[in-house]
Amino acid sequence: MPELMLDGLDPVVAERAGPFFSEMLRDPGDIIHSLHLTGSALTEDFDKKTSDINSVVVLKSMELGFLETLAPKGKKYRKSGVASPLIMTPEYVLNSLDVFPIEFLNIRLCHQTVFGGDIFRDMVIKREDLRHQCEREIKVKLIGLRQGYLSSMGDARTLADNFSSSITGHIPLFRGVIELKGGTPPLPAHKVIDTLSQSTGVDCSAFREVLSAKKDGYKKGSLDNLFERYYEATERIKKAIDEISA
């Protein structure tokens, strides 16, 4: 069986993801192009109790038989925090860079190839494509914040949950904005927020507060004010994106 390249990984990540990858390689025929880890499992944000281990499986061609073989293993590995992998082909990657530039930028910035060739390292993402998706995504997030606030109906627990899920989705977008502003997007979430503030001149303290509260909990009675600051900061990031020329 081919050897996996797990050097440098958090030991917990290697222990949990290694068997998953090994099982895929046990009898794959000749269909696997490469296997990659991505996301928080490669950063200091990784929490062995709560963080998912995300991966990308690149097949030489899309084989439904491989998916049928892999699907029953999901429940087994989900218990140890290994999420269902993204499945794609080199052709799909090449033809999707213009549609999902934020997603592929984040994979390029944060991945480790554990088997095969590194298809993501030299991806070229066009500035205009990234600019258009950043504009679209920030507008969608503003709508989501408004709808989430209304649907919480004043319930603090629901509003806190909305904040926590929202900031997770903001971080990949923020890396895209930093890239557009000519900066180097960092990997840890708190550094992303700090760099975003420096790149745009926007007060991002509300983002930092939500990120911290996701881990440590929210202060009682502070959520309405936090929502106002969080929403206003997101609105200012939208204006900063609007000012970026493609």
Side-chain angles (χ1 to χ4, degrees):
M1 186 174 66
E3 185 176 350
L4 294 172
M5 298 175 285
L6 303 177
D7 294 347
L9 291 175
D10 182 301
V12 173
V13 174
E15 180 182 357
R16 294 177 182 177
F20 179 62
F21 289 131
S22 294
E23 192 160 350
M24 276 191 280
L25 291 170
R26 190 162 292 142
D27 187 25
D30 190 35
I31 64 171
I32 294 182
H33 173 282
S34 52
L35 303 173
H36 315 263
L37 281 166
T38 188
S40 64
L42 301 176
T43 78
E44 62 188 58
D45 293 325
F46 180 71
D47 185 326
K48 64 181 180 180
K49 294 181 180 179
T50 60
S51 297
D52 286 336
I53 297 174
N54 296 296
S55 59
V56 183
V57 176
V58 181
L59 303 180
K60 293 178 181 177
S61 62
M62 191 56 63
E63 298 284 348
L64 295 183
F66 176 80
L67 302 184
E68 292 168 356
T69 301
L70 185 61
K73 300 175 174 43
K75 185 176 181 180
K76 171 184 175 182
Y77 289 102
R78 186 62 185 160
K79 292 179 180 178
S80 58
V82 178
S84 298
L86 296 173
I87 309 289
M88 55 189 72
T89 65
E91 181 183 18
Y92 176 88
V93 173
L94 182 63
N95 292 332
S96 301
L97 294 175
D98 59 335
V99 182
F100 303 114
I102 291 176
E103 290 78 2
F104 281 114
L105 171 67
N106 277 269
I107 292 175
R108 190 183 71 188
L109 290 169
C110 186
H111 75 280
Q112 179 167 327
T113 301
V114 298
F115 170 77
D118 188 348
I119 192 174
F120 300 114
R121 180 182 57 200
D122 298 322
M123 287 188 305
V124 177
I125 296 171
K126 293 182 179 179
R127 178 181 174 82
E128 59 266 31
D129 295 331
L130 182 60
R131 161 69 175 73
H132 289 154
Q133 191 184 6
C134 284
E135 180 182 6
R136 182 171 64 250
E137 288 293 321
I138 198 74
K139 290 178 178 178
V140 169
K141 292 187 186 306
L142 284 166
I143 292 173
L145 286 173
R146 294 193 293 266
Q147 292 302 109
Y149 186 76
L150 292 175
S151 65
S152 72
M153 296 184 291
D155 182 75
R157 178 67 177 271
T158 300
L159 188 55
D161 289 344
N162 288 344
F163 275 140
S164 296
S165 60
S166 170
I167 194 62
T168 300
H170 272 49
I171 298 301
L173 168 62
F174 290 166
R175 291 196 186 101
V177 177
I178 293 167
E179 178 85 4
L180 287 172
K181 296 291 285 186
T184 300
L187 299 185
H190 70 280
K191 292 183 180 178
V192 171
I193 292 172
D194 290 344
T195 305
L196 178 75
S197 183
Q198 295 166 8
S199 298
T200 62
V202 173
D203 178 2
C204 295
S205 58
F207 300 139
R208 294 190 197 97
E209 190 171 333
V210 169
L211 189 66
S212 297
K214 183 181 178 183
K215 184 176 182 180
D216 302 325
Y218 293 87
K219 296 178 182 178
K220 187 175 181 180
S222 66
L223 290 178
D224 286 333
N225 176 262
L226 179 57
F227 174 80
E228 292 179 9
R229 292 169 48 230
Y230 190 87
Y231 184 88
E232 289 172 0
T234 306
E235 181 71 45
R236 292 191 182 105
I237 295 299
K238 184 192 82 69
K239 291 179 181 178
I241 296 171
D242 289 341
E243 294 169 357
I244 298 173
S245 60

